[in-house]
Amino acid sequence: MTTTPDLQTLSDFLDSQRPHVAELDQGLDQVLTAVLAASRQISYDLQQGALAGILGSADTDNVQGEVQKKLDIIANDSLIDALKRCEPVAGMASEENDDCIANNPAGRYLVLFDPLDGSSNIDVNMSVGTIFSILPVTQTPVTKESFFQPGSRQIAAGYVLYGPATLLVLTLGNGVNVFTLDRDQGEFYLTASQLQIPADTQEFAINMSNQRHWEAPVQRYISECLAGKTGERGKDFNMRWVASMVGDVHRILSRGGIFMYPYDLKDPKKAGRLRLMYEANPMSFLIEQAGGQATTGRQRILDVQPNDLHQRIPVMLGSAVEVRLVTSYHG
Ligand code: F6P
Ligand code: MN
C-alpha cells in the first residue's frame, strides 16, 4: 500500500498538540506507544485468524465468570507486558485480572483496559476492539483505591477498533481524532479530525432480546422509537447492534446514534452489563469530547465515584437530543 505523504503520523500529531494539552509530555507519549505496540500485535494476530491458532476458547473463566477466549488472554498478556516495560506507568488494571498490577513506584500514570472488547465476535470474524483509560497517580503507593477516580479525571482515553481497517480513536481532552494503521509500515496516520456527533439521530443500538427485563423509562423510550412516523416521535428509527461496544460506539462517533446497555432485571444483582472503569468511562470521555452525552439514566457517567475496579453500570450514550430525552424519562 502507498501512503499519502501528507498524512500526519501519530507522533507528529502528538507533537502538534503539546501547546494545547498541559499533560501531554514524553511520559504520556510513552504510555500511548506501549498501548499501541500491543494493539498492533493484536491486530496482526486477528488478521491471521485461524492460521495463527488463536481462535476458540481458552477453557478458563475470568474474574467476572465469563469464559475466556484464547485471544482475550493473548491480548491481555501483550498489554501487560508492554505496560510493565513502560517507566511512566505506576500501575495497571485489566478486565481480565481480579486485582490491579503495581508497576514503577515513581510512575505518574495509571492505565485501565479492556484488552479485547466484544470477544464473542472473534470466532465469527467480526469487529472487536481494545479500550483504554489513563488516569493520573494521586496517591502512593499505588493500590486498588488509587484507581477509584471519577471518569472526569481521565487524562486520555481511546480504543483501537480491529475492523476491516485497524483504527485508533483517541482523546486527550481536546476533541476526538482518528488514526488508521498502515499495516506495512506499522504506523498510525491521522485520518479524521475533531469528530462531532450530530445532536439528532434516527438510529438506536440496544440488545432487544432483553426488552422484557428493562425498567419503565427504557421501555417507554424504545417503544416510542419503534412506533416510528405515526407515533409520538413522528419519525422512523433504524436499529444496529454489533455486540462489541467498540464497534457500536465507533458508528455513533462516525454518524450519530444512541447506544444503550441499561440496567435490567434479568440478573437484578448486576448494576448493568458494562464495566465503569474500562468500558463506560473511556467511551463516555470520547463521546462527550465529540459533543455527545453519556449517562446512567440518572447521573452523568463521568461523575460516578468508582468503588470497585470491575463495577458494572447502566450506559446510555451518543447523540445529545436522544440521550437527554431518555434521561428525562428517568425523572
Ligand atoms: O464487553 C461487553 C460487551 O461485549 C460489549 O462489548 C457489548 O456491547 C456487549 O457486551 C454485548 O452484549 P450482548 O452479549 O448482550 O449482545
Ligand atoms: Mn468489553
Side-chain angles (χ1 to χ4, degrees):
M1 182 207 141
T2 48
T3 305
T4 318
D6 55 4
L7 288 180
Q8 202 174 23
T9 63
L10 175 64
S11 67
D12 287 346
F13 169 82
L14 292 175
D15 284 341
S16 75
Q17 293 304 298
R18 282 186 224 290
H20 317 292
V21 183
E23 293 88 357
L24 187 53
D25 59 8
Q26 302 298 336
L28 190 54
D29 278 22
Q30 288 176 48
V31 180
L32 291 170
T33 302
V35 170
L36 294 177
S39 299
R40 211 178 280 120
Q41 188 54 48
I42 297 166
S43 170
Y44 289 127
D45 287 346
L46 275 163
Q47 204 197 11
Q48 288 299 98
L51 300 177
I54 43 103
L55 303 186
S57 164
D59 295 325
T60 49
D61 286 356
N62 70 7
V63 289
Q64 347 244 340
E66 297 163 343
V67 177
Q68 288 177 305
K69 302 278 183 184
K70 283 184 197 161
L71 211 58
D72 282 326
I73 297 175
I74 294 170
N76 194 41
D77 291 348
S78 300
L79 280 155
I80 291 173
D81 284 352
L83 290 168
K84 273 188 171 170
R85 279 186 267 113
C86 184
E87 247 177 58
V89 174
M92 64 200 87
S94 163
E95 174 181 331
E96 303 297 335
N97 294 74
D98 199 357
D99 218 339
C100 62
I101 301 169
N103 200 46
N104 178 7
R108 300 199 341 263
Y109 300 103
L110 302 172
V111 186
L112 293 119
F113 51 90
D114 177 351
L116 212 58
D117 173 68
S119 50
S120 71
N121 276 0
I122 300 170
D123 292 343
V124 292
N125 200 27
M126 306 267 285
S127 294
V128 289
T130 295
I131 312 174
F132 60 92
S133 161
I134 303 177
L135 288 166
V137 172
T138 54
Q139 58 173 86
T140 51
V142 165
T143 62
K144 199 161 63 173
E145 284 70 28
S146 318
F147 290 80
F148 298 166
Q149 304 178 44
S152 55
R153 299 292 308 272
Q154 291 171 103
I155 293 171
Y159 58 78
V160 178
L161 168 62
Y162 312 106
T166 292
L167 305 180
L168 162 69
V169 179
L170 176 69
T171 185
L172 303 164
N174 67 337
V176 178
N177 295 291
V178 182
F179 303 81
T180 302
L181 175 65
D182 181 327
R183 285 176 191 278
D184 298 336
Q185 301 180 20
E187 185 86 67
F188 282 92
Y189 287 93
L190 180 66
T191 45
S193 302
Q194 295 296 326
L195 300 189
Q196 276 298 312
I197 303 173
D200 284 300
T201 182
Q202 292 181 222
E203 203 160 67
F204 66 86
I206 194 164
N207 183 342
M208 284 296 297
S209 70
N210 294 324
Q211 183 172 24
R212 68 192 183 284
H213 305 295
W214 299 332
E215 293 184 295
V218 176
Q219 296 274 5
R220 175 180 171 194
Y221 174 77
I222 293 294
S223 65
E224 288 177 3
C225 292
L226 294 174
K229 232 180 228 155
T230 51
E232 15 232 287
R233 300 301 310 275
K235 58 182 185 178
D236 290 336
F237 279 77
N238 195 6
M239 196 198 92
R240 288 286 182 269
W241 187 247
V242 179
S244 157
M245 189 190 198
V246 171
D248 280 309
V249 167
H250 190 68
R251 187 187 58 258
I252 287 169
L253 282 168
S254 305
R255 69 175 189 213
I258 179 168
F259 168 91
M260 303 169 76
Y261 217 120
Y263 170 74
D264 68 47
L265 294 162
K266 193 161 70 178
D267 186 352
K269 287 192 299 295
K270 285 187 185 166
R273 165 101 161 94
L274 301 174
R275 274 57 54 109
L276 172 63
M277 301 219 60
Y278 41 79
E279 293 180 318
N281 270 344
M283 292 312 206
S284 299
F285 191 19
L286 288 163
I287 291 285
E288 285 199 4
Q289 284 295 314
Q293 294 192 0
T295 175
T296 67
R298 297 176 169 94
Q299 188 183 8
R300 178 185 178 227
I301 289 177
L302 294 180
D303 287 337
V304 174
Q305 174 60 48
N307 53 33
D308 189 286
L309 284 177
H310 302 287
Q311 86 189 71
R312 294 175 190 264
I313 190 161
V315 174
M316 297 161 206
L317 54 77
S319 293
V321 168
E322 295 302 312
V323 177
R324 272 201 291 271
L325 182 64
V326 72
T327 305
S328 73
Y329 290 176
H330 285 76

